Coordinates of all heavy atoms in Angstrom, one line a residue:
Chain B
T41 N -16.6 12.4 20.8 CA -16.6 10.9 20.8 C -16.6 10.3 19.4 O -16.3 9.1 19.3 CB -17.9 10.4 21.5 OG1 -19.0 11.1 20.9 CG2 -17.9 10.7 23.0
H42 N -16.8 11.2 18.4 CA -16.7 10.6 17.0 C -15.3 10.0 16.7 O -15.2 9.3 15.7 CB -17.3 11.5 16.0 CG -16.4 12.4 15.3 ND1 -15.9 13.5 15.9 CD2 -15.9 12.4 14.1 CE1 -15.1 14.2 15.1 NE2 -15.0 13.5 14.0
W43 N -14.3 10.4 17.4 CA -13.0 9.9 17.2 C -12.8 8.5 17.7 O -11.8 7.9 17.5 CB -11.9 10.8 17.8 CG -11.9 12.2 17.3 CD1 -12.4 13.3 17.8 CD2 -11.4 12.6 16.0 NE1 -12.2 14.4 17.0 CE2 -11.6 14.0 15.9 CE3 -10.8 11.9 14.9 CZ2 -11.2 14.7 14.7 CZ3 -10.4 12.6 13.8 CH2 -10.6 14.0 13.7
Q44 N -13.9 8.0 18.4 CA -13.8 6.6 19.0 C -13.4 5.6 17.9 O -12.7 4.6 18.3 CB -15.2 6.3 19.5 CG -15.4 5.0 20.2 CD -14.6 5.0 21.5 OE1 -14.6 5.9 22.3 NE2 -13.8 3.9 21.7
C45 N -13.8 5.8 16.7 CA -13.5 4.8 15.6 C -12.0 4.6 15.5 O -11.6 3.6 14.9 CB -14.2 5.1 14.3 SG -13.7 6.7 13.6
L46 N -11.2 5.5 15.9 CA -9.7 5.3 15.8 C -9.3 4.1 16.7 O -8.2 3.6 16.5 CB -8.9 6.6 16.3 CG -9.1 7.8 15.4 CD1 -8.3 9.0 15.9 CD2 -8.7 7.5 13.9
N47 N -10.1 3.8 17.7 CA -9.8 2.7 18.6 C -10.2 1.3 18.0 O -9.9 0.3 18.6 CB -10.4 2.8 20.0 CG -9.6 3.8 20.8 OD1 -8.4 3.9 20.6 ND2 -10.3 4.5 21.7
N48 N -10.8 1.3 16.9 CA -11.2 0.1 16.2 C -9.9 -0.7 16.0 O -8.9 -0.2 15.5 CB -11.8 0.4 14.9 CG -12.3 -0.8 14.1 OD1 -11.6 -1.8 14.1 ND2 -13.5 -0.8 13.5
K49 N -9.9 -2.0 16.3 CA -8.7 -2.8 16.3 C -8.1 -3.0 14.9 O -6.9 -3.3 14.7 CB -8.8 -4.2 16.9 CG -9.8 -5.1 16.3 CD -9.8 -6.4 17.0 CE -10.9 -7.4 16.6 NZ -11.0 -7.7 15.2
N50 N -8.9 -2.7 13.8 CA -8.4 -2.8 12.5 C -7.6 -1.6 12.0 O -7.0 -1.6 11.0 CB -9.6 -3.1 11.5 CG -10.1 -4.4 11.6 OD1 -9.4 -5.4 11.9 ND2 -11.4 -4.6 11.4
V51 N -7.8 -0.5 12.7 CA -7.2 0.8 12.3 C -5.7 0.7 12.4 O -5.2 0.4 13.5 CB -7.8 2.0 13.0 CG1 -7.0 3.2 12.7 CG2 -9.3 2.1 12.7
L52 N -5.0 1.0 11.3 CA -3.5 1.0 11.3 C -3.0 2.4 11.5 O -3.7 3.4 11.2 CB -3.0 0.5 10.0 CG -3.5 -1.0 9.6 CD1 -3.0 -1.4 8.3 CD2 -3.0 -2.0 10.7
V53 N -1.8 2.5 12.0 CA -1.2 3.9 12.2 C 0.2 3.9 11.6 O 1.0 2.9 11.7 CB -1.2 4.3 13.7 CG1 -0.4 3.3 14.5 CG2 -0.8 5.7 13.9
A54 N 0.6 5.0 11.0 CA 1.9 5.3 10.6 C 2.4 6.5 11.2 O 1.7 7.5 11.3 CB 2.0 5.4 9.0
V55 N 3.7 6.5 11.7 CA 4.3 7.7 12.2 C 5.5 8.0 11.3 O 6.3 7.2 11.0 CB 4.8 7.5 13.6 CG1 5.6 8.7 14.1 CG2 3.7 7.2 14.6
N56 N 5.5 9.2 10.7 CA 6.5 9.7 9.7 C 6.6 8.7 8.6 O 7.7 8.3 8.2 CB 7.8 9.9 10.4 CG 7.7 11.1 11.4 OD1 6.9 12.0 11.2 ND2 8.5 11.0 12.5
Q57 N 5.4 8.2 8.1 CA 5.3 7.3 7.0 C 5.9 5.9 7.2 O 6.3 5.3 6.2 CB 5.9 8.0 5.7 CG 5.3 9.4 5.5 CD 5.6 10.0 4.2 OE1 6.5 9.5 3.5 NE2 4.9 11.0 3.8
T58 N 6.0 5.5 8.4 CA 6.4 4.1 8.7 C 5.3 3.5 9.6 O 4.9 4.1 10.6 CB 7.7 4.1 9.5 OG1 8.7 4.7 8.6 CG2 8.2 2.7 9.8
L59 N 4.9 2.3 9.2 CA 3.9 1.6 10.0 C 4.3 1.5 11.5 O 5.5 1.1 11.7 CB 3.6 0.2 9.5 CG 2.6 0.1 8.4 CD1 2.5 -1.4 7.9 CD2 1.2 0.6 8.8
S60 N 3.5 1.8 12.4 CA 3.8 1.9 13.8 C 2.7 1.3 14.6 O 1.8 0.7 14.1 CB 4.1 3.3 14.3 OG 5.1 3.9 13.4
D61 N 2.7 1.5 15.9 CA 1.5 1.1 16.7 C 1.2 2.2 17.8 O 1.9 3.2 17.8 CB 1.7 -0.3 17.4 CG 3.0 -0.3 18.3 OD1 3.2 0.7 18.9 OD2 3.7 -1.3 18.3
A62 N 0.2 1.9 18.6 CA -0.2 2.9 19.6 C 0.9 3.3 20.6 O 0.8 4.4 21.1 CB -1.4 2.3 20.4
N63 N 1.9 2.5 20.8 CA 2.9 2.8 21.7 C 4.1 3.6 21.1 O 5.0 4.0 21.8 CB 3.6 1.5 22.3 CG 2.5 0.7 23.0 OD1 1.7 1.3 23.7 ND2 2.6 -0.6 22.8
A64 N 4.0 3.9 19.8 CA 5.0 4.6 19.1 C 5.2 6.0 19.7 O 4.2 6.7 20.0 CB 4.7 4.7 17.6
N65 N 6.4 6.5 19.9 CA 6.7 7.8 20.4 C 6.4 8.9 19.4 O 6.6 8.7 18.2 CB 8.2 7.9 20.8 CG 8.5 7.1 22.0 OD1 7.7 7.1 22.9 ND2 9.7 6.5 22.0
I66 N 5.9 10.0 19.9 CA 5.6 11.2 19.1 C 6.4 12.4 19.5 O 6.5 12.6 20.7 CB 4.0 11.5 19.3 CG1 3.2 10.3 18.8 CG2 3.7 12.8 18.6 CD1 3.3 10.0 17.3
N67 N 6.8 13.1 18.6 CA 7.5 14.4 18.9 C 6.8 15.5 18.1 O 6.2 15.2 17.0 CB 9.0 14.3 18.5 CG 9.7 13.3 19.4 OD1 9.8 13.5 20.6 ND2 10.2 12.3 18.8
D68 N 7.0 16.7 18.6 CA 6.5 17.9 17.8 C 7.0 17.9 16.4 O 8.2 17.6 16.2 CB 6.9 19.2 18.6 CG 6.0 20.3 18.1 OD1 5.0 20.1 17.4 OD2 6.3 21.5 18.5

Side-chain angles (χ1 to χ4, degrees):
Chain B
T41 52
H42 89 286
W43 298 104
Q44 184 65 46
C45 59
L46 296 180
N47 281 330
N48 183 319
K49 65 177 168 55
N50 287 330
V51 171
L52 303 175
V53 62
V55 176
N56 297 327
Q57 303 190 349
T58 298
L59 274 178
S60 305
D61 59 36
N63 300 318
N65 287 323
I66 297 296
N67 294 297
D68 198 9

